[in-house]
Amino acid sequence: MNNFRPKTTFIGKKNIYLPTCQSTNDEAALLLQQGAVAEGTVVITDHQMAGRGQRGSNWQAAPGQNLTFSIVLRPAFLTAIEQFRLNIAVSLGVWAGLMPLLGKDLKIKWPNDLYYKNQKIGGILIENVLQSSRIETAIIGIGLNVNQSDFTNPHATSLRNITQQMYDLWEVLADLLLKIEENYLLLRSGHYNRLKMRYLQNLYRYQEIHLFGQNDTVFEGMIIGVGETGKLAVQIGNELQHFDLKEINYLV
Ligand code: BTN
């Protein structure tokens, strides 16, 4: 940790390592409440006791074997309605950091899960603080399964399970931070369209026909894009429908 020096310009230049905590997102929020926090500050822990996931779920990771960290960003160049753009840049950053290790079967599952084939290897929880319709601060929480080999959930996997290798967590972290920064800087310098195109190119089940579920109904559809506010655009027969996170489930 003491000699952790990612090749970034600002993300991860300041790091706060906590052997254990409830949630790195909560720790980052606490720091922000307490006063000035440099943009790019990373809070990282070996053991999260109350890790949080999307849709009110929890995030579980075996202590010391995985990456669980949060990055503080200040994307005031984005308005509240552009929040999904940050999601695109960060997911692509994580994807690009892992791609050299995992190859083309690595995909981004909308909105921001990392999938290898049909199993989840990582997830992202972004929590924004808005001020007069701009994003004042964003806490980017990332959980990545690295060296853990046993999972109770059959849909979960790790770098180790995929490649049969063990990884240095700090090295993987440095790769991720570099790519997240690269993509964030592209977003900040006005290259959203390029990022969105890459996001779609690497989206899980993009332009493939699959079964989806909504409440008690099952339907066949094809993901054809993502709307400006981040809703998933699915072509169902002759109709184009947009879904929120809670409104659609991917089936087989
Ligand atoms: C998801 O896939 O549901 C998102 C999971 C996000 C987990 C990370 S681990 C670090 C950070 N702290 C948290 O409490 N959650 C995020």
Short mmCIF file of all heavy atoms in Angstrom, two decimals, residues 3-68:
data_model
loop_
_atom_site.label_atom_id
_atom_site.label_comp_id
_atom_site.label_asym_id
_atom_site.label_seq_id
_atom_site.Cartn_x
_atom_site.Cartn_y
_atom_site.Cartn_z
N ASN A 3 3.73 1.84 -1.15
CA ASN A 3 4.34 2.21 -2.43
C ASN A 3 3.38 2.05 -3.59
O ASN A 3 3.79 1.75 -4.70
CB ASN A 3 5.65 1.45 -2.66
CG ASN A 3 5.50 0.02 -2.22
OD1 ASN A 3 4.40 -0.52 -2.33
ND2 ASN A 3 6.57 -0.59 -1.75
N PHE A 4 2.09 2.24 -3.33
CA PHE A 4 1.09 2.18 -4.40
C PHE A 4 1.16 3.47 -5.20
O PHE A 4 0.82 4.54 -4.71
CB PHE A 4 -0.30 1.97 -3.81
CG PHE A 4 -1.37 1.92 -4.86
CD1 PHE A 4 -1.36 0.95 -5.85
CD2 PHE A 4 -2.41 2.85 -4.86
CE1 PHE A 4 -2.35 0.90 -6.83
CE2 PHE A 4 -3.41 2.81 -5.83
CZ PHE A 4 -3.37 1.83 -6.81
N ARG A 5 1.62 3.36 -6.45
CA ARG A 5 1.77 4.55 -7.30
C ARG A 5 1.16 4.28 -8.67
O ARG A 5 1.87 3.90 -9.60
CB ARG A 5 3.26 4.88 -7.52
CG ARG A 5 4.05 5.15 -6.28
CD ARG A 5 4.14 6.63 -5.96
NE ARG A 5 4.93 6.84 -4.77
CZ ARG A 5 4.45 6.74 -3.52
NH1 ARG A 5 3.18 6.44 -3.32
NH2 ARG A 5 5.23 6.92 -2.48
N PRO A 6 -0.16 4.46 -8.81
CA PRO A 6 -0.74 4.24 -10.13
C PRO A 6 -0.22 5.28 -11.12
O PRO A 6 0.16 6.38 -10.73
CB PRO A 6 -2.24 4.42 -9.87
CG PRO A 6 -2.34 5.24 -8.64
CD PRO A 6 -1.12 4.95 -7.82
N LYS A 7 -0.23 4.91 -12.41
CA LYS A 7 0.33 5.84 -13.42
C LYS A 7 -0.74 6.84 -13.88
O LYS A 7 -0.89 7.11 -15.07
CB LYS A 7 0.84 5.05 -14.62
CG LYS A 7 2.02 4.15 -14.28
CD LYS A 7 2.67 3.65 -15.57
CE LYS A 7 3.49 2.40 -15.37
NZ LYS A 7 2.77 1.16 -15.60
N THR A 8 -1.52 7.33 -12.96
CA THR A 8 -2.61 8.25 -13.28
C THR A 8 -2.14 9.68 -13.03
O THR A 8 -1.08 9.89 -12.44
CB THR A 8 -3.81 7.97 -12.36
OG1 THR A 8 -3.31 7.91 -11.01
CG2 THR A 8 -4.48 6.65 -12.70
N THR A 9 -3.00 10.65 -13.43
CA THR A 9 -2.62 12.03 -13.07
C THR A 9 -3.32 12.48 -11.79
O THR A 9 -2.78 13.27 -11.04
CB THR A 9 -2.96 13.03 -14.20
OG1 THR A 9 -4.34 12.88 -14.52
CG2 THR A 9 -2.13 12.77 -15.43
N PHE A 10 -4.52 11.97 -11.53
CA PHE A 10 -5.16 12.39 -10.27
C PHE A 10 -5.93 11.29 -9.54
O PHE A 10 -6.04 11.31 -8.33
CB PHE A 10 -6.05 13.63 -10.48
CG PHE A 10 -7.30 13.37 -11.27
CD1 PHE A 10 -8.53 13.25 -10.63
CD2 PHE A 10 -7.28 13.24 -12.64
CE1 PHE A 10 -9.69 13.01 -11.34
CE2 PHE A 10 -8.44 13.00 -13.37
CZ PHE A 10 -9.64 12.88 -12.72
N ILE A 11 -6.45 10.29 -10.27
CA ILE A 11 -7.22 9.26 -9.55
C ILE A 11 -6.25 8.32 -8.82
O ILE A 11 -5.35 7.74 -9.44
CB ILE A 11 -8.15 8.47 -10.50
CG1 ILE A 11 -9.22 9.41 -11.08
CG2 ILE A 11 -8.80 7.31 -9.76
CD1 ILE A 11 -10.28 8.73 -11.93
N GLY A 12 -6.43 8.21 -7.52
CA GLY A 12 -5.57 7.31 -6.74
C GLY A 12 -4.27 7.93 -6.30
O GLY A 12 -3.42 7.26 -5.74
N LYS A 13 -4.12 9.24 -6.53
CA LYS A 13 -2.91 9.90 -6.02
C LYS A 13 -3.03 10.02 -4.50
O LYS A 13 -2.04 10.01 -3.78
CB LYS A 13 -2.73 11.29 -6.65
CG LYS A 13 -2.33 11.21 -8.11
CD LYS A 13 -0.92 10.61 -8.26
CE LYS A 13 -0.59 10.27 -9.68
NZ LYS A 13 0.53 9.35 -9.85
N LYS A 14 -4.28 10.17 -4.04
CA LYS A 14 -4.50 10.11 -2.59
C LYS A 14 -5.34 8.87 -2.30
O LYS A 14 -6.39 8.67 -2.92
CB LYS A 14 -5.22 11.37 -2.11
CG LYS A 14 -5.53 11.30 -0.62
CD LYS A 14 -5.65 12.68 0.00
CE LYS A 14 -6.17 12.67 1.42
NZ LYS A 14 -5.54 11.79 2.36
N ASN A 15 -4.84 8.03 -1.40
CA ASN A 15 -5.54 6.78 -1.08
C ASN A 15 -5.74 6.67 0.41
O ASN A 15 -4.86 7.00 1.19
CB ASN A 15 -4.68 5.59 -1.48
CG ASN A 15 -4.52 5.56 -2.96
OD1 ASN A 15 -5.45 5.26 -3.67
ND2 ASN A 15 -3.33 5.91 -3.43
N ILE A 16 -6.91 6.17 0.76
CA ILE A 16 -7.18 5.92 2.18
C ILE A 16 -7.45 4.43 2.30
O ILE A 16 -8.44 3.93 1.74
CB ILE A 16 -8.37 6.77 2.64
CG1 ILE A 16 -7.98 8.24 2.51
CG2 ILE A 16 -8.77 6.42 4.08
CD1 ILE A 16 -9.12 9.20 2.61
N TYR A 17 -6.55 3.74 2.98
CA TYR A 17 -6.71 2.29 3.13
C TYR A 17 -7.27 2.00 4.52
O TYR A 17 -6.73 2.44 5.53
CB TYR A 17 -5.36 1.60 2.94
CG TYR A 17 -5.38 0.17 3.43
CD1 TYR A 17 -6.04 -0.82 2.70
CD2 TYR A 17 -4.78 -0.18 4.64
CE1 TYR A 17 -6.10 -2.13 3.17
CE2 TYR A 17 -4.82 -1.49 5.11
CZ TYR A 17 -5.48 -2.46 4.37
OH TYR A 17 -5.54 -3.74 4.84
N LEU A 18 -8.37 1.26 4.54
CA LEU A 18 -8.98 0.86 5.81
C LEU A 18 -8.98 -0.67 5.84
O LEU A 18 -9.54 -1.30 4.94
CB LEU A 18 -10.43 1.36 5.88
CG LEU A 18 -10.64 2.86 5.70
CD1 LEU A 18 -12.11 3.17 5.48
CD2 LEU A 18 -10.09 3.60 6.90
N PRO A 19 -8.34 -1.29 6.84
CA PRO A 19 -8.34 -2.75 6.88
C PRO A 19 -9.77 -3.31 6.84
O PRO A 19 -10.04 -4.29 6.18
CB PRO A 19 -7.65 -3.08 8.21
CG PRO A 19 -6.89 -1.85 8.56
CD PRO A 19 -7.60 -0.69 7.95
N THR A 20 -10.66 -2.61 7.56
CA THR A 20 -12.06 -3.03 7.55
C THR A 20 -12.97 -1.81 7.65
O THR A 20 -12.56 -0.77 8.17
CB THR A 20 -12.32 -4.05 8.69
OG1 THR A 20 -13.68 -4.39 8.69
CG2 THR A 20 -11.94 -3.51 10.03
N CYS A 21 -14.17 -1.90 7.10
CA CYS A 21 -15.15 -0.82 7.24
C CYS A 21 -16.53 -1.36 6.88
O CYS A 21 -16.65 -2.51 6.46
CB CYS A 21 -14.79 0.39 6.36
SG CYS A 21 -15.02 0.13 4.59
N GLN A 22 -17.53 -0.53 7.04
CA GLN A 22 -18.88 -0.97 6.67
C GLN A 22 -19.00 -0.99 5.15
O GLN A 22 -19.35 -1.99 4.56
CB GLN A 22 -19.93 -0.02 7.26
CG GLN A 22 -19.95 0.04 8.78
CD GLN A 22 -20.41 -1.27 9.39
OE1 GLN A 22 -21.43 -1.81 9.00
NE2 GLN A 22 -19.65 -1.80 10.32
N SER A 23 -18.74 0.17 4.55
CA SER A 23 -18.86 0.31 3.10
C SER A 23 -17.93 1.45 2.66
O SER A 23 -17.96 2.52 3.29
CB SER A 23 -20.31 0.65 2.74
OG SER A 23 -20.38 1.41 1.56
N THR A 24 -17.13 1.22 1.63
CA THR A 24 -16.22 2.30 1.20
C THR A 24 -17.01 3.49 0.64
O THR A 24 -16.56 4.62 0.74
CB THR A 24 -15.20 1.80 0.15
OG1 THR A 24 -15.90 1.20 -0.93
CG2 THR A 24 -14.21 0.82 0.76
N ASN A 25 -18.19 3.22 0.06
CA ASN A 25 -19.02 4.36 -0.40
C ASN A 25 -19.44 5.22 0.80
O ASN A 25 -19.44 6.44 0.73
CB ASN A 25 -20.26 3.85 -1.13
CG ASN A 25 -20.04 3.75 -2.63
OD1 ASN A 25 -18.94 3.42 -3.06
ND2 ASN A 25 -21.06 4.00 -3.43
N ASP A 26 -19.80 4.56 1.90
CA ASP A 26 -20.22 5.31 3.09
C ASP A 26 -19.04 6.07 3.69
O ASP A 26 -19.18 7.21 4.14
CB ASP A 26 -20.81 4.36 4.15
CG ASP A 26 -22.11 3.75 3.66
OD1 ASP A 26 -22.64 4.20 2.63
OD2 ASP A 26 -22.60 2.79 4.31
N GLU A 27 -17.86 5.45 3.68
CA GLU A 27 -16.66 6.13 4.21
C GLU A 27 -16.33 7.35 3.36
O GLU A 27 -15.98 8.40 3.89
CB GLU A 27 -15.45 5.18 4.23
CG GLU A 27 -15.57 4.04 5.21
CD GLU A 27 -15.50 4.47 6.67
OE1 GLU A 27 -15.04 5.60 6.94
OE2 GLU A 27 -15.93 3.69 7.53
N ALA A 28 -16.47 7.22 2.04
CA ALA A 28 -16.19 8.35 1.15
C ALA A 28 -17.21 9.47 1.40
O ALA A 28 -16.85 10.66 1.44
CB ALA A 28 -16.23 7.91 -0.31
N ALA A 29 -18.47 9.09 1.62
CA ALA A 29 -19.51 10.10 1.88
C ALA A 29 -19.21 10.84 3.18
O ALA A 29 -19.39 12.06 3.28
CB ALA A 29 -20.88 9.42 1.95
N LEU A 30 -18.73 10.11 4.16
CA LEU A 30 -18.38 10.70 5.46
C LEU A 30 -17.24 11.71 5.30
O LEU A 30 -17.30 12.82 5.84
CB LEU A 30 -17.94 9.56 6.40
CG LEU A 30 -18.20 9.73 7.87
CD1 LEU A 30 -19.70 9.84 8.14
CD2 LEU A 30 -17.64 8.51 8.61
N LEU A 31 -16.23 11.33 4.52
CA LEU A 31 -15.11 12.24 4.27
C LEU A 31 -15.60 13.52 3.63
O LEU A 31 -15.18 14.62 3.99
CB LEU A 31 -14.11 11.60 3.31
CG LEU A 31 -13.19 10.52 3.84
CD1 LEU A 31 -12.36 9.96 2.70
CD2 LEU A 31 -12.28 11.11 4.91
N LEU A 32 -16.52 13.37 2.66
CA LEU A 32 -17.04 14.55 1.95
C LEU A 32 -17.80 15.46 2.92
O LEU A 32 -17.72 16.68 2.82
CB LEU A 32 -17.94 14.12 0.79
CG LEU A 32 -17.19 13.61 -0.44
CD1 LEU A 32 -18.12 12.87 -1.39
CD2 LEU A 32 -16.51 14.77 -1.16
N GLN A 33 -18.52 14.84 3.85
CA GLN A 33 -19.26 15.64 4.84
C GLN A 33 -18.31 16.39 5.76
O GLN A 33 -18.60 17.48 6.22
CB GLN A 33 -20.10 14.72 5.72
CG GLN A 33 -21.46 14.39 5.16
CD GLN A 33 -22.10 13.26 5.96
OE1 GLN A 33 -21.84 13.10 7.15
NE2 GLN A 33 -22.91 12.46 5.30
N GLN A 34 -17.15 15.75 6.00
CA GLN A 34 -16.22 16.33 6.97
C GLN A 34 -15.41 17.49 6.41
O GLN A 34 -14.78 18.22 7.16
CB GLN A 34 -15.26 15.25 7.49
CG GLN A 34 -15.94 14.31 8.47
CD GLN A 34 -15.14 13.03 8.68
OE1 GLN A 34 -14.13 12.80 8.04
NE2 GLN A 34 -15.60 12.20 9.60
N GLY A 35 -15.35 17.62 5.06
CA GLY A 35 -14.60 18.74 4.51
C GLY A 35 -14.00 18.42 3.17
O GLY A 35 -14.45 17.52 2.47
N ALA A 36 -12.95 19.17 2.84
CA ALA A 36 -12.35 19.09 1.50
C ALA A 36 -11.77 17.71 1.22
O ALA A 36 -11.03 17.16 2.03
CB ALA A 36 -11.27 20.14 1.38
N VAL A 37 -12.14 17.16 0.09
CA VAL A 37 -11.59 15.88 -0.35
C VAL A 37 -11.11 16.09 -1.79
O VAL A 37 -11.87 16.57 -2.63
CB VAL A 37 -12.67 14.77 -0.36
CG1 VAL A 37 -12.10 13.44 -0.81
CG2 VAL A 37 -13.34 14.63 1.01
N ALA A 38 -9.85 15.77 -2.04
CA ALA A 38 -9.32 15.99 -3.39
C ALA A 38 -10.03 15.08 -4.39
O ALA A 38 -10.31 13.91 -4.08
CB ALA A 38 -7.83 15.68 -3.39
N GLU A 39 -10.29 15.63 -5.58
CA GLU A 39 -10.90 14.79 -6.61
C GLU A 39 -9.94 13.64 -6.94
O GLU A 39 -8.73 13.84 -7.07
CB GLU A 39 -11.21 15.60 -7.89
CG GLU A 39 -11.91 14.70 -8.90
CD GLU A 39 -12.42 15.42 -10.14
OE1 GLU A 39 -11.75 16.34 -10.62
OE2 GLU A 39 -13.48 15.02 -10.64
N GLY A 40 -10.48 12.46 -7.05
CA GLY A 40 -9.66 11.29 -7.37
C GLY A 40 -9.25 10.48 -6.15
O GLY A 40 -8.64 9.43 -6.27
N THR A 41 -9.61 10.99 -4.95
CA THR A 41 -9.30 10.23 -3.73
C THR A 41 -9.94 8.85 -3.79
O THR A 41 -11.10 8.71 -4.18
CB THR A 41 -9.81 11.00 -2.49
OG1 THR A 41 -9.12 12.24 -2.41
CG2 THR A 41 -9.58 10.21 -1.19
N VAL A 42 -9.17 7.83 -3.40
CA VAL A 42 -9.68 6.46 -3.41
C VAL A 42 -9.74 5.96 -1.97
O VAL A 42 -8.79 6.13 -1.20
CB VAL A 42 -8.75 5.55 -4.25
CG1 VAL A 42 -9.11 4.08 -4.08
CG2 VAL A 42 -8.82 5.93 -5.72
N VAL A 43 -10.87 5.38 -1.61
CA VAL A 43 -11.01 4.70 -0.31
C VAL A 43 -11.07 3.22 -0.60
O VAL A 43 -11.90 2.78 -1.41
CB VAL A 43 -12.31 5.14 0.42
CG1 VAL A 43 -12.41 4.45 1.77
CG2 VAL A 43 -12.35 6.65 0.58
N ILE A 44 -10.18 2.46 0.02
CA ILE A 44 -10.12 1.03 -0.28
C ILE A 44 -10.07 0.22 1.01
O ILE A 44 -9.48 0.66 1.99
CB ILE A 44 -8.92 0.73 -1.21
CG1 ILE A 44 -8.84 -0.77 -1.49
CG2 ILE A 44 -7.60 1.25 -0.68
CD1 ILE A 44 -8.14 -1.12 -2.76
N THR A 45 -10.69 -0.93 1.00
CA THR A 45 -10.69 -1.77 2.19
C THR A 45 -10.44 -3.23 1.82
O THR A 45 -10.68 -3.65 0.68
CB THR A 45 -12.03 -1.64 2.95
OG1 THR A 45 -11.91 -2.29 4.22
CG2 THR A 45 -13.19 -2.28 2.19
N ASP A 46 -9.99 -3.99 2.81
CA ASP A 46 -9.85 -5.45 2.64
C ASP A 46 -11.14 -6.16 2.97
O ASP A 46 -11.36 -7.28 2.56
CB ASP A 46 -8.78 -5.98 3.62
CG ASP A 46 -7.39 -5.83 3.05
OD1 ASP A 46 -7.28 -5.76 1.82
OD2 ASP A 46 -6.45 -5.77 3.85
N HIS A 47 -11.94 -5.48 3.80
CA HIS A 47 -13.12 -6.18 4.31
C HIS A 47 -14.27 -5.22 4.54
O HIS A 47 -14.23 -4.40 5.46
CB HIS A 47 -12.75 -6.88 5.64
CG HIS A 47 -13.87 -7.70 6.19
ND1 HIS A 47 -13.89 -8.15 7.49
CD2 HIS A 47 -15.01 -8.16 5.62
CE1 HIS A 47 -14.99 -8.84 7.68
NE2 HIS A 47 -15.69 -8.86 6.57
N GLN A 48 -15.28 -5.33 3.70
CA GLN A 48 -16.48 -4.51 3.87
C GLN A 48 -17.52 -5.33 4.63
O GLN A 48 -17.88 -6.41 4.20
CB GLN A 48 -17.06 -4.20 2.49
CG GLN A 48 -16.77 -2.83 2.02
CD GLN A 48 -17.45 -2.49 0.72
OE1 GLN A 48 -17.52 -1.33 0.41
NE2 GLN A 48 -17.96 -3.43 -0.01
N MET A 49 -18.00 -4.78 5.72
CA MET A 49 -18.96 -5.56 6.51
C MET A 49 -20.40 -5.31 6.09
O MET A 49 -21.27 -6.11 6.40
CB MET A 49 -18.74 -5.29 7.99
CG MET A 49 -17.41 -5.90 8.43
SD MET A 49 -17.06 -5.63 10.14
CE MET A 49 -16.97 -3.88 10.22
N ALA A 50 -20.61 -4.19 5.42
CA ALA A 50 -21.97 -3.90 4.95
C ALA A 50 -21.90 -3.30 3.55
O ALA A 50 -22.42 -2.21 3.28
CB ALA A 50 -22.67 -2.95 5.92
N GLY A 51 -21.24 -4.01 2.66
CA GLY A 51 -21.09 -3.54 1.27
C GLY A 51 -22.45 -3.45 0.61
O GLY A 51 -23.29 -4.33 0.77
N ARG A 52 -22.65 -2.37 -0.12
CA ARG A 52 -23.96 -2.15 -0.76
C ARG A 52 -23.88 -2.33 -2.27
O ARG A 52 -22.87 -2.01 -2.88
CB ARG A 52 -24.48 -0.76 -0.42
CG ARG A 52 -24.77 -0.60 1.06
CD ARG A 52 -25.39 0.72 1.43
NE ARG A 52 -24.47 1.84 1.30
CZ ARG A 52 -24.52 2.74 0.34
NH1 ARG A 52 -25.45 2.67 -0.60
NH2 ARG A 52 -23.65 3.73 0.29
N GLY A 53 -24.97 -2.85 -2.83
CA GLY A 53 -25.04 -3.04 -4.28
C GLY A 53 -26.19 -2.23 -4.85
O GLY A 53 -26.81 -1.42 -4.15
N GLN A 54 -26.48 -2.44 -6.11
CA GLN A 54 -27.58 -1.74 -6.77
C GLN A 54 -28.90 -2.26 -6.26
O GLN A 54 -28.99 -3.38 -5.78
CB GLN A 54 -27.52 -2.02 -8.26
CG GLN A 54 -26.25 -1.52 -8.87
CD GLN A 54 -26.51 -0.74 -10.13
OE1 GLN A 54 -27.64 -0.34 -10.40
NE2 GLN A 54 -25.49 -0.52 -10.90
N ARG A 55 -29.95 -1.48 -6.46
CA ARG A 55 -31.33 -1.88 -6.11
C ARG A 55 -31.43 -2.33 -4.66
O ARG A 55 -32.11 -3.31 -4.35
CB ARG A 55 -31.81 -3.03 -6.99
CG ARG A 55 -31.76 -2.77 -8.47
CD ARG A 55 -32.73 -3.66 -9.17
NE ARG A 55 -32.11 -4.67 -9.99
CZ ARG A 55 -32.76 -5.56 -10.70
NH1 ARG A 55 -34.08 -5.60 -10.65
NH2 ARG A 55 -32.15 -6.43 -11.44
N GLY A 56 -30.67 -1.71 -3.76
CA GLY A 56 -30.76 -2.04 -2.33
C GLY A 56 -30.19 -3.41 -1.98
O GLY A 56 -30.39 -3.90 -0.87
N SER A 57 -29.46 -4.02 -2.89
CA SER A 57 -28.89 -5.34 -2.59
C SER A 57 -27.61 -5.16 -1.78
O SER A 57 -27.13 -4.04 -1.61
CB SER A 57 -28.58 -6.08 -3.88
OG SER A 57 -27.58 -5.37 -4.58
N ASN A 58 -27.06 -6.26 -1.26
CA ASN A 58 -25.77 -6.11 -0.60
C ASN A 58 -24.67 -6.71 -1.47
O ASN A 58 -24.94 -7.47 -2.39
CB ASN A 58 -25.78 -6.67 0.82
CG ASN A 58 -26.26 -8.09 0.87
OD1 ASN A 58 -26.20 -8.79 -0.14
ND2 ASN A 58 -26.73 -8.52 2.00
N TRP A 59 -23.44 -6.27 -1.17
CA TRP A 59 -22.30 -6.75 -1.96
C TRP A 59 -21.40 -7.54 -1.02
O TRP A 59 -20.89 -7.00 -0.06
CB TRP A 59 -21.54 -5.58 -2.56
CG TRP A 59 -20.39 -6.03 -3.42
CD1 TRP A 59 -19.06 -6.04 -3.07
CD2 TRP A 59 -20.46 -6.54 -4.76
NE1 TRP A 59 -18.32 -6.54 -4.11
CE2 TRP A 59 -19.15 -6.85 -5.16
CE3 TRP A 59 -21.51 -6.77 -5.66
CZ2 TRP A 59 -18.85 -7.37 -6.41
CZ3 TRP A 59 -21.21 -7.29 -6.91
CH2 TRP A 59 -19.90 -7.59 -7.28
N GLN A 60 -21.26 -8.82 -1.31
CA GLN A 60 -20.44 -9.66 -0.43
C GLN A 60 -19.17 -10.07 -1.14
O GLN A 60 -19.20 -10.43 -2.31
CB GLN A 60 -21.23 -10.89 -0.03
CG GLN A 60 -22.32 -10.51 0.94
CD GLN A 60 -23.19 -11.67 1.35
OE1 GLN A 60 -23.19 -12.71 0.71
NE2 GLN A 60 -23.92 -11.48 2.41
N ALA A 61 -18.07 -10.00 -0.39
CA ALA A 61 -16.78 -10.36 -0.97
C ALA A 61 -15.91 -10.93 0.15
O ALA A 61 -15.85 -10.34 1.23
CB ALA A 61 -16.12 -9.13 -1.58
N ALA A 62 -15.26 -12.05 -0.10
CA ALA A 62 -14.41 -12.66 0.94
C ALA A 62 -13.27 -11.69 1.28
O ALA A 62 -12.62 -11.16 0.38
CB ALA A 62 -13.85 -13.98 0.42
N PRO A 63 -13.03 -11.44 2.60
CA PRO A 63 -12.01 -10.47 3.01
C PRO A 63 -10.63 -10.77 2.44
O PRO A 63 -10.20 -11.92 2.42
CB PRO A 63 -11.98 -10.61 4.55
CG PRO A 63 -13.27 -11.25 4.90
CD PRO A 63 -13.72 -12.05 3.72
N GLY A 64 -9.97 -9.69 1.97
CA GLY A 64 -8.57 -9.80 1.53
C GLY A 64 -8.37 -10.45 0.17
O GLY A 64 -7.24 -10.55 -0.31
N GLN A 65 -9.43 -10.89 -0.47
CA GLN A 65 -9.25 -11.62 -1.73
C GLN A 65 -9.74 -10.86 -2.96
O GLN A 65 -9.57 -11.32 -4.09
CB GLN A 65 -10.02 -12.95 -1.66
CG GLN A 65 -9.53 -13.85 -0.54
CD GLN A 65 -10.29 -15.18 -0.51
OE1 GLN A 65 -10.80 -15.64 -1.51
NE2 GLN A 65 -10.35 -15.77 0.66
N ASN A 66 -10.38 -9.73 -2.72
CA ASN A 66 -11.05 -9.02 -3.81
C ASN A 66 -10.78 -7.53 -3.74
O ASN A 66 -10.20 -7.05 -2.77
CB ASN A 66 -12.56 -9.27 -3.71
CG ASN A 66 -12.88 -10.75 -3.77
OD1 ASN A 66 -12.67 -11.39 -4.80
ND2 ASN A 66 -13.36 -11.31 -2.66
N LEU A 67 -11.24 -6.80 -4.74
CA LEU A 67 -11.13 -5.34 -4.71
C LEU A 67 -12.48 -4.74 -4.32
O LEU A 67 -13.51 -5.04 -4.96
CB LEU A 67 -10.69 -4.80 -6.06
CG LEU A 67 -9.20 -4.93 -6.39
CD1 LEU A 67 -8.93 -4.50 -7.84
CD2 LEU A 67 -8.35 -4.09 -5.42
N THR A 68 -12.47 -3.93 -3.29
CA THR A 68 -13.67 -3.17 -2.91
C THR A 68 -13.19 -1.75 -2.61
O THR A 68 -12.45 -1.55 -1.65
CB THR A 68 -14.37 -3.78 -1.67
OG1 THR A 68 -13.39 -4.15 -0.71
CG2 THR A 68 -15.21 -4.98 -2.01
#
